[in-house]
Amino acid sequence: MGYRVVVVGATGNVGREMLNILAERQFPADEVAVLASRKSLGTEVTFGETTLKTQDLDTFDFAGWDMALFAIGSDATKKYAPKAAAAGCVVIDNSSLYRYDPEVPLIVPEVNPQAVHRYSKKNIIANPNCSTAQMVVALKPLHDRAKIKRVVVSTYQSVSGSGKDAIDELWDQTKAVYNPTSDVPPKVYTKQIAFNVIPHIDVFLDDGSTKEEWKMVAETKKIVDPSIKVTATCVRVPVFVGHSESINIETEDFLDEDEARDILREAPGIMVIDKREDGGYVTPIECVGDFATFISRIRQDSTIENGLNMWCVSDNLRKGAALNAVQIAELLGREVLKKG
């Protein structure tokens, strides 16, 4: 017997990607239901070779369904996730709503799979922020070897992290640059994103950081180790898909760059592409559609006693969202539900 799976928000970028990945990874689903808001009711989406019609999230009965992958905003999740959980359906939530709830596990399966056993307090599991997910996959194996004290990370985040309207805004503004009669003022972003970079993701906090930066700090502590100090600068760049990160790591014990490279090569979910030559690294355009988190430019930081630098790239719609959610579903099935 396989699982009865619900994808909530199936018409959005992440929801569609969840369906693609469930099919690609041959998730043992006997039945898949796709839900959307009433305005998208009846919209057709694909699941492998099958075409599914969206059902109304407002009236759907979650009783008898094993798990629901939520890819809707926090406001809607707040209304519908408790209903699904109360009906006995385990919620795997991609929004930020439950990430910092101490009774809800926040999981990256390559990093803290043991946390899945704590799901039953609320019947909800949280998926981390896209920028955090790829970073902690790289941090965890190095932390196990040399204990990370401090991380300084600068992100280069693609517009797909802001949804379809942001993708359209970048596309339309790019075309407008070459057409002097066109003018596409920013709507999704505070400034023009085409041919520009914006050091501002999410709202500003009192200390001058943004909420996206705060998320990376809080989530790394919850997923990997609360003792790790993290400082982040998160930047939106004119790339359609794929987040990049420049990561500086300070460890308690000395870790040679060659050993770090070997550790990362053996770590789950990571692909090391690190040749010190032209093109011997991965860029975001090359990671699109891939499951892996790519690590390049591994080198010693000579300005501190125990320091490393690296470059980290991943498809944010996959590892940063849909893939991680499906991996949580696989973990939940394998370790707890044991039906498939």
Side-chain angles (χ1 to χ4, degrees):
M1 275 198 55
Y3 297 97
R4 301 183 76 213
V5 180
V6 184
V7 175
V8 182
T11 58
N13 289 338
V14 174
R16 289 177 187 272
E17 198 67 14
M18 284 174 172
L19 289 166
N20 290 338
I21 294 171
L22 285 166
E24 284 175 33
R25 292 172 72 92
Q26 298 181 325
F27 186 83
D30 276 357
E31 189 176 355
V32 175
V34 290
L35 309 186
S37 62
R38 199 156 287 172
K39 66 179 182 181
S40 300
L41 196 61
T43 301
E44 293 187 342
V45 293
T46 57
F47 171 61
E49 300 294 316
T50 309
T51 299
L52 304 173
K53 279 192 175 183
T54 56
Q55 301 178 53
D56 186 2
L57 170 58
D58 211 38
T59 58
F60 186 79
D61 183 3
F62 286 93
W65 293 84
D66 296 298
M67 55 184 83
L69 280 61
F70 271 61
I72 52 179
S74 293
D75 290 342
T77 298
K78 189 174 185 178
K79 178 178 180 181
Y80 295 105
K83 290 182 179 180
C89 179
V90 183
V91 171
I92 300 169
D93 177 33
N94 195 60
S95 81
S96 62
L97 183 64
Y98 293 104
R99 289 176 188 160
Y100 317 106
D101 186 328
E103 295 188 336
V104 174
L106 179 65
I107 296 177
V108 176
E110 298 94 333
V111 178
N112 61 336
Q114 69 286 350
V116 75
H117 295 282
R118 296 193 291 106
Y119 82 96
S120 57
K121 287 185 178 179
K122 288 193 174 178
N123 230 23
I124 296 170
I125 300 170
N127 208 22
N129 187 43
C130 50
S131 52
T132 306
Q134 68 188 69
M135 183 174 76
V136 297
V137 169
L139 295 183
K140 181 59 163 61
L142 301 178
H143 183 64
D144 288 345
R145 161 63 181 82
K147 193 167 187 188
I148 295 171
K149 292 168 57 179
R150 182 172 185 256
V151 175
V152 180
V153 57
S154 297
T155 72
Y156 309 77
Q157 295 178 227
S158 66
V159 296
S160 57
S162 302
K164 183 181 180 301
D165 288 346
I167 294 173
D168 292 343
E169 185 158 297
L170 172 57
W171 176 245
D172 292 338
Q173 284 181 353
T174 301
K175 290 187 293 182
V177 167
Y178 296 100
N179 184 354
T181 63
S182 296
D183 180 34
V184 182
K187 292 181 181 177
V188 176
Y189 298 117
T190 55
K191 297 184 183 245
Q192 176 182 309
I193 185 60
F195 301 93
N196 198 16
V197 298
I198 304 172
H200 174 194
I201 301 178
D202 213 322
V203 298
F204 275 97
L205 305 178
D206 290 342
D207 67 354
S209 63
T210 65
K211 194 171 181 182
E212 184 82 358
E213 293 156 357
W214 175 84
K215 289 173 187 175
M216 293 194 75
V217 175
E219 292 174 20
T220 301
K221 288 176 176 290
K222 185 172 180 179
I223 296 167
V224 184
D225 187 333
S227 69
I228 295 177
K229 295 179 180 178
V230 181
T231 182
T233 300
C234 293
V235 182
R236 191 71 70 187
V237 297
V239 170
F240 286 111
V241 179
H243 287 356
S244 305
E245 297 171 349
S246 172
I247 307 173
N248 176 266
I249 300 167
E250 182 180 1
T251 56
E252 284 193 3
D253 301 323
F254 178 75
L255 182 57
D256 177 78
E257 62 186 42
D258 292 327
E259 185 183 357
R261 198 174 287 108
D262 290 340
I263 288 169
L264 291 168
R265 280 199 178 106
E266 297 298 318
I270 290 175
M271 182 75 71
V272 175
I273 308 291
D274 189 19
K275 298 178 181 178
R276 293 177 177 179
E277 60 187 44
D278 292 353
Y281 42 81
V282 174
T283 58
I285 202 167
E286 297 162 285
C287 78
V288 175
D290 207 297
F291 289 138
T293 295
F294 292 89
I295 307 294
S296 307
R297 304 291 320 279
I298 303 164
R299 62 204 187 278
Q300 227 77 49
D301 176 5
S302 60
T303 67
I304 53 176
E305 192 171 344
N306 300 323
L308 289 168
N309 289 307
M310 66 179 64
W311 175 250
C312 175
V313 177
S314 190
D315 181 332
N316 56 294
L317 295 179
R318 293 209 150 201
K319 187 55 192 168
L323 171 61
N324 201 72
V326 173
Q327 286 178 306
I328 292 171
E330 292 170 342
L331 176 67
L332 179 69
R334 187 168 64 247
E335 295 291 324
V336 181
L337 303 182
K338 299 181 179 179
K339 275 179 68 175

